[in-house]
Amino acid sequence: MTIERFIQLWTHRYHKYTHIATAHLKGRQARAHFQGVKRGLKKGQELIAIIRTEHFGDIVAAEPISRYVRQQHPDAHIVWFAKPGFAELVSHNPNVDEVFREICVTERRVLLEGKVFDKVFELQFRNNNHCPKCQVFTENPVALERDINVFNYFDYGNLLEVFAQTGGLIPPKTAFPADDQPRLYLQPSHQAKVDGLDLPGKYIVMHCRSNYEPKDWPADRWNQLVHWLAEKYDYQLVEIGLESNLNVKTPAYRNLCGQLSILETAEVIRRASFFIGLDSGPSHLGNATGTFGIILMGALNNFLNYNPYSGKYGRQENALLVRKAGLPCAQLPFEFVQEQVRSVLEKSADNARTVLS
C-alpha cells in the first residue's frame, strides 16, 4: 500500500466513524428531547412521528397526509422528520407541531429505538432510508410486508397514495380517503423576496433540468422551445431550478436558477401564468400553488404510464401531462411538445377573448 493510499483510507475511515459517532450522539440527544416533550403532554395525548425526509417534491406530494393524521389524531403532538434542506416545507404547516431535522438514518434509528413515539408513520422505503456516510440502510416493515419498493411503487398509485400505504395509513392499493390536493404554507418573507425580483406581470416559469437524468428533456430542445415562445407569444420566460444548462439569447428570458429557496421558488411559480417543466420537485410546487402545469413526462424505468400527482394535476384539471406511450421524456419530439404547449396557450387566449367580449 502506498502512503497516498494509506492516507486516503484512514481519512475516509476518520470521516465515516466521526459521522457515525455524531449520529449516535444526536440520536440520543433527540431521544432525550422527545422524552421531555412527552412528559409535557397532557394525559392521553399522543406523540406521533411522520417520516418523509426527502426529496422536496415527495414532501410536497405527501402534505395531505399531515392533514389526514391531524384529522385522525386531533390532540396529538405531531413531529415531521425531514432533512435540514427540506425542513422549510413543513416548518410552517399548521398541522405539524414540530420538525425534526434528521441528519441521517442512523440518528433516526437511535432515536426510535427509545420507543418514545406512540405512533410512527414512515412514508418511505429502503432507497430513501440510506446514509452513504454510514453505509447503512434501514427497512420499513410496512413497506416490506406490502412489497412496496423502488421497482414497483407506482403500481400502488400516485405518490400520495404510495406514501400513505407505506405508512400503514390506508390499505394496499386504495385511494387516499381525504382531500388529496397538496398545499404550501407561504410566508410574507417569501412574498417579499419575490417582490424584490421585479418580475413582469405576465410570465411563464420553466424548469428544464431535474435531479434524475432519465426524466430530462434535451437542452437543445428546451432552447428551441424558449426561442419559439419568445417569438410567438408576449410572455416573459423565467427559468427556475438549481442550475441551468440552457444557452438562450433572447431578452424575453431570465435565469433565476440557484438564487431562491424552495418556498421562494414556489412563490415565483404561484405568480406565473403557466408552469412548463419536468416530472420533478418544482412541478409539485406548481400543483400545490395552483398554477396550470404543462409537464413533460415519459416512460420511467419500468413504469411505462405512471402519474405521480394527486389533486388537480393528477386529475389533469389544472395540468396537461405531455407524453407519448412508451417513449421516455428524452425522446419526445420537439414538434410534439411544441404543439401541446401551443394548444394550452391558445386555449387560454381564446378563453380570455371570450371573457372580454
Side-chain angles (χ1 to χ4, degrees):
M1 180 184 294
T2 65
I3 187 65
E4 291 82 3
R5 177 58 184 148
F6 178 83
I7 292 171
Q8 289 173 356
L9 175 63
W10 283 99
T11 299
H12 169 76
R13 287 179 177 175
Y14 170 78
H15 288 298
K16 175 181 176 180
Y17 291 115
T18 299
H19 172 81
I20 292 172
T22 300
H24 277 266
L25 175 61
K26 285 185 171 292
R28 291 189 181 94
Q29 290 172 337
R31 188 191 302 179
H33 165 73
F34 286 114
Q35 286 169 340
V37 170
K38 194 166 187 178
R39 284 193 297 270
L41 298 180
K42 299 175 184 177
K43 185 177 180 180
Q45 190 176 8
E46 294 176 302
L47 182 61
I48 292 177
I50 301 175
I51 301 172
R52 184 70 227 180
T53 61
E54 57 177 328
H55 297 276
F56 85 78
D58 293 344
I59 294 173
V60 174
E63 182 277 336
I65 288 174
S66 69
R67 287 179 270 134
Y68 183 66
V69 172
R70 176 58 71 196
Q71 181 184 34
Q72 300 296 310
H73 306 273
D75 298 322
H77 185 91
I78 297 174
V79 181
W80 192 293
F81 286 48
K83 290 189 173 179
F86 305 133
E88 65 172 308
L89 288 166
V90 285
S91 61
H92 304 293
N93 186 331
N95 302 289
V96 174
D97 297 291
E98 189 172 350
V99 181
F100 176 63
R101 290 164 171 80
E102 175 187 302
I103 63 166
C104 83
V105 296
T106 297
E107 177 193 28
R108 186 204 314 160
R109 178 173 56 79
V110 172
L111 165 56
L112 295 183
E113 282 173 353
K115 306 293 184 184
V116 65
F117 289 94
D118 297 297
K119 289 184 174 66
V120 177
F121 300 118
E122 186 167 350
L123 314 183
Q124 51 198 45
F125 34 87
R126 195 174 198 262
N127 70 306
N128 291 127
N129 284 332
H130 173 234
C131 177
K133 291 184 178 179
C134 296
Q135 297 178 332
V136 165
F137 285 92
T138 64
E139 299 288 3
N140 176 349
V142 176
L144 283 176
E145 180 185 350
R146 296 181 172 187
D147 190 33
I148 303 174
N149 57 59
V150 70
F151 303 108
N152 67 10
Y153 63 102
F154 275 126
D155 297 338
Y156 289 79
N158 60 47
L159 287 176
L160 173 61
E161 292 165 343
V162 171
F163 299 154
Q165 290 170 64
T166 60
L169 286 157
I170 62 175
K173 297 193 175 182
T174 58
F176 190 69
D179 179 13
D180 68 348
Q181 177 61 45
R183 299 178 189 171
L184 290 173
Y185 302 92
L186 299 172
Q187 301 298 301
S189 61
H190 307 127
Q191 298 165 6
K193 172 69 175 182
V194 177
D195 286 343
L197 297 175
D198 195 28
L199 292 172
K202 183 180 177 183
Y203 64 91
I204 296 172
V205 67
M206 308 180 73
H207 180 241
C208 310
R209 192 177 188 182
S210 75
N211 66 351
Y212 187 53
E213 189 173 345
K215 293 183 178 182
D216 286 346
W217 199 48
D220 62 332
R221 285 175 225 171
W222 279 114
N223 289 333
Q224 278 185 274
L225 187 66
V226 169
H227 284 108
W228 171 72
L229 286 167
E231 292 173 5
K232 177 75 175 175
Y233 300 97
D234 61 349
Y235 293 100
Q236 293 291 298
L237 306 166
V238 177
E239 186 182 2
I240 50 90
L242 288 177
E243 185 180 15
S244 177
N245 61 348
L246 304 189
N247 182 18
V248 175
K249 291 180 172 54
T250 170
Y253 166 82
R254 183 172 176 183
N255 181 2
L256 291 180
C257 292
Q259 301 177 41
L260 304 170
S261 72
I262 296 172
L263 289 183
E264 290 165 357
T265 298
E267 177 64 13
V268 170
I269 294 172
R270 187 188 69 81
R271 299 184 188 195
S273 301
F274 298 96
F275 171 87
I276 304 177
L278 305 160
D279 167 26
S280 60
S283 64
H284 292 278
L285 299 179
N287 190 15
T289 56
T291 298
F292 190 96
I294 304 171
I295 314 300
L296 279 57
M297 297 180 64
L300 179 66
N301 301 328
N302 54 321
F303 304 118
L304 300 181
N305 188 29
Y306 72 101
N307 183 348
Y309 306 103
S310 65
K312 291 185 177 181
Y313 271 28
R315 294 185 290 273
Q316 294 197 64
E317 297 170 358
N318 198 38
L320 175 66
L321 305 186
V322 178
R323 56 184 165 194
K324 276 181 170 286
L327 284 185
C329 186
Q331 293 181 22
L332 292 176
F334 171 76
E335 293 75 16
F336 172 73
V337 172
Q338 179 187 45
E339 185 54 38
Q340 297 295 300
V341 173
R342 188 203 313 271
S343 70
V344 171
L345 298 187
E346 295 193 355
K347 181 179 179 182
S348 175
D350 289 343
N351 289 341
R353 284 192 288 269
T354 300
V355 170
L356 289 173
S357 64

